Amino acid sequence: MPNPSEILGVIASPRRVAVIGAGYVGIPTAVVLAHLGHHVTLAERDATRRNSLLAGLSPIMEEGLDDLLVPTLQSGRLQIVEKAADAAGAAEIVFLCVATPQGDDGHSDLSFIDAVSREIADVLPAGAIVVNKSTVPVGTAQRVADLLGRRDVTVVSNPEFLREGFAVYDSFNPERIVVGAPSSAIGHQVADLFAPLRAQVVMTDETTSELTKYAANAFLAAKLSFANTMSRLCDALGGNVDDLSLGMGLDSRIGRSFLRPGPGWGGSCLPKDTAALVAIAHDAKVDISIVEASISSNHAQQAHLVNAVRDTIGGKLDGAVVSVWGLTFKAGTSDRRDSPALEIVELLLAAGASVRGFDPTVAADATDADLHGIGTFASVHDAAAGSDVILVLTEWPQFALVNFEELATVVRQRHVVDARNLLSMRDVRAAGFSYRGLGRR
Ligand SMILES: NC(=O)c1ccc[n+]([C@@H]2O[C@H](COP(=O)([O-])OP(=O)(O)OC[C@H]3O[C@@H](n4cnc5c(N)ncnc54)[C@H](O)[C@@H]3O)[C@@H](O)[C@H]2O)c1
């Protein structure tokens, strides 16, 4: 696996590259390409994100990103600009890394892709390649080509598979690079940008490349929904899901990752990408019930957890105080887009509970709209004060180190529901709390 310091500026034939959109995908993409030796211009229309980057600070929480950003900016190979057209005007290859959120009907909302395509259409140099790195539905390479209206420009699909929280590692160590292009010569121009990373390249057509990203995410969602269902079955029958997952996952055909039960999958990709794949299949009149079942099973998991909290405190949520630990969709990120924790918070509030939240990435007394007016606190200790039950929703490792004996004196009732199977049930019970995990007793 390459180490960033070994591959600094190693590329034999540097290219002029533009990256449009400085988000979870655009920043790592731009940093890796500049680090390898390409001349990169990153366009971001949001002034806060842009100014943060210019100051050498990543506007998104990703381990190791700041350490790479500063030397990359100092090398002069990474420029930050506001306008997509200013980045694309001199570029040989332009990566579109803008958001593709879920639209009202489940289809992807392509308005950012469309807008950038219009912005850059007239300035692209002859022979340029435009790369859809955003997750986009089948047919988007053609859609962008139509919007560009340039016979001398080619559009290529190159979906991104990085994991939030591991973006730097994954960007330098991709398990595969999928490129969908009208010819392999064009496709290889894109794949060759990343050649020093020595990743396996899957060269294919645009349709297959676009579909591969959705297929991968739908499969991961199905795997998680399967694990959640098994945890519910273990609860009902008295089994142990940790042992079950190990027993299943050691089969190399299955694999161990994504078999841990949790509060339901969420984040900025799996919910919108499974919804988009369902919409794509419906349009194509292809049965997609296997993915639809994963989605409904995910909602069932959240309802199951709310019921578990209700049962734990004696059958009534109305008037109860729930201390929620973790609000991001997973640990290691500050991203709360489509966080299952916030969906469960909404269900608790609707049932009449009040919520005291703590997350290491959320300030005390935060008032962001997605927090639904819950109280947020500076520590788990403060968030637990006066609560009837503690509900662990994000797997922040520090929660496993909390001293429950200290908490026992500040809560109103001693109950814990651990939706990540993170805590030591022995320690929690030894401090006088009831403990309920998922599929473990
Ligand atoms: N977040 C992930 O982990 C991840 C992983 C793989 C793929 N993806 C896909 O990558 C795409 C981007 O996701 P993200 O999470 O990085 O999004 P993001 O919202 O964090 O970043 C997109 C950025 O693009 C900027 N932008 C939008 N229009 C612009 C324009 N016209 N000019 C300049 N800047 C513009 C926005 O201001 C924003 O900062 C999506 O399609 C997503 O599905 C995301």
Side-chain angles (χ1 to χ4, degrees):
M1 289 290 183
N3 165 336
S5 61
E6 285 168 11
I7 51 176
L8 180 65
V10 294
I11 202 90
S13 13
R15 309 289 302 266
R16 290 188 312 279
V17 181
V19 176
I20 316 299
Y24 290 84
V25 168
I27 300 173
T29 301
V31 167
V32 167
L33 288 168
H35 194 87
L36 292 175
H38 300 291
H39 299 283
V40 181
T41 308
L42 173 59
E44 171 54 55
R45 62 179 188 172
D46 179 271
T48 311
R49 282 194 170 184
R50 220 171 42 245
N51 291 335
S52 170
L53 286 167
L54 286 167
L57 293 171
S58 169
I60 57 168
M61 179 186 175
E62 275 298 340
E63 199 182 329
L65 197 49
D66 288 345
D67 297 342
L68 285 172
L69 197 52
V70 174
T72 312
L73 287 165
Q74 282 169 350
S75 74
R77 289 196 299 268
L78 176 61
Q79 308 292 324
I80 315 285
V81 299
E82 178 184 359
K83 302 261 184 245
D86 291 339
E92 299 167 275
I93 301 181
V94 181
F95 284 87
L96 307 190
C97 301
V98 293
T100 48
Q102 187 175 334
D104 294 338
D105 57 357
H107 289 88
S108 296
D109 172 355
L110 294 176
S111 52
F112 296 115
I113 292 279
D114 292 355
V116 176
S117 304
R118 292 194 185 94
E119 281 172 60
I120 64 175
D122 294 337
V123 301
L124 286 168
I129 299 173
V130 173
V131 186
N132 282 335
K133 201 170 233 333
S134 297
T135 303
V136 289
V138 173
T140 307
Q142 187 57 49
R143 179 186 178 114
V144 171
D146 291 344
L147 284 166
L148 294 174
R150 293 275 303 265
R151 297 173 81 92
D152 57 346
V153 169
T154 315
V155 182
V156 166
S157 162
N158 168 226
E160 178 55 59
F161 296 98
L162 65 76
R163 299 164 297 168
E164 271 182 40
F166 300 90
V168 171
Y169 179 85
D170 287 352
S171 298
F172 280 97
N173 301 280
E175 289 181 321
R176 77 293 208 193
I177 293 176
V178 176
V179 181
S183 76
S184 107
I186 295 275
H188 276 294
Q189 286 199 51
V190 176
D192 287 353
L193 292 172
F194 303 96
L197 303 180
R198 301 195 297 268
Q200 183 152 346
V201 174
V202 179
M203 195 59 70
T204 184
D205 57 83
E206 301 90 312
T207 297
T208 309
S209 172
E210 290 166 341
L211 206 47
T212 302
K213 172 68 190 177
Y214 287 108
N217 273 356
F219 193 82
L220 293 175
K223 219 174 161 192
L224 288 170
S225 280
F226 190 89
N228 287 336
T229 304
M230 288 305 120
S231 77
R232 300 202 290 265
L233 210 46
C234 285
D235 276 336
L237 301 177
N240 180 327
V241 78
D242 296 338
D243 296 344
L244 180 149
S245 294
L246 187 62
M248 268 182 79
L250 287 172
D251 182 332
S252 61
R253 294 169 302 176
I254 297 172
R256 290 187 62 185
S257 64
F258 276 61
L259 279 182
R260 274 179 76 111
W265 37 269
S268 70
C269 292
L270 297 192
K272 82 172 173 63
D273 292 352
T274 46
L277 187 59
V278 167
I280 290 167
H282 284 176
D283 291 348
K285 301 199 171 20
V286 171
D287 174 78
I288 189 100
S289 47
I290 194 162
V291 178
E292 289 166 325
S294 307
I295 297 170
S296 56
S297 170
N298 200 43
H299 295 308
Q301 181 71 357
Q302 289 163 2
H304 171 74
L305 264 164
V306 172
N307 286 336
V309 173
R310 184 186 284 112
D311 291 349
T312 298
I313 55 172
K316 199 162 158 284
L317 278 170
D318 197 14
V321 180
V322 183
S323 178
V324 164
W325 293 7
L327 297 166
T328 54
F329 84 94
K330 65 174 184 179
T333 179
S334 52
D335 199 348
R336 300 198 300 265
R337 291 179 285 181
D338 273 329
S339 170
L342 293 177
E343 289 178 27
I344 288 167
V345 161
E346 261 194 279
L347 293 173
L348 291 169
L349 294 174
S354 66
V355 174
R356 299 170 67 85
F358 170 77
D359 187 284
T361 67
V362 178
D365 301 320
T367 54
D368 311 48
D370 66 333
L371 297 175
H372 307 292
I374 64 168
T376 57
F377 296 86
S379 67
V380 286
H381 198 272
D382 291 349
S387 66
D388 296 302
V389 54
I390 291 166
L391 172 60
V392 178
L393 289 177
T394 310
E395 73 282 27
W396 290 106
Q398 55 267 50
F399 295 161
L401 306 175
V402 168
N403 182 337
F404 275 80
E405 277 170 12
E406 283 174 14
L407 284 187
T409 55
V410 301
V411 295
R412 190 159 72 182
Q413 294 191 66
R414 295 181 192 175
H415 296 296
V416 171
V417 174
D418 178 4
R420 294 285 185 173
N421 286 355
L422 178 74
L423 308 178
S424 154
M425 71 176 109
R426 212 185 51 191
D427 292 355
V428 171
R429 284 179 180 152
F433 285 78
S434 76
Y435 174 89
R436 180 165 178 172
L438 295 175
R440 65 190 326 213
R441 287 179 301 158

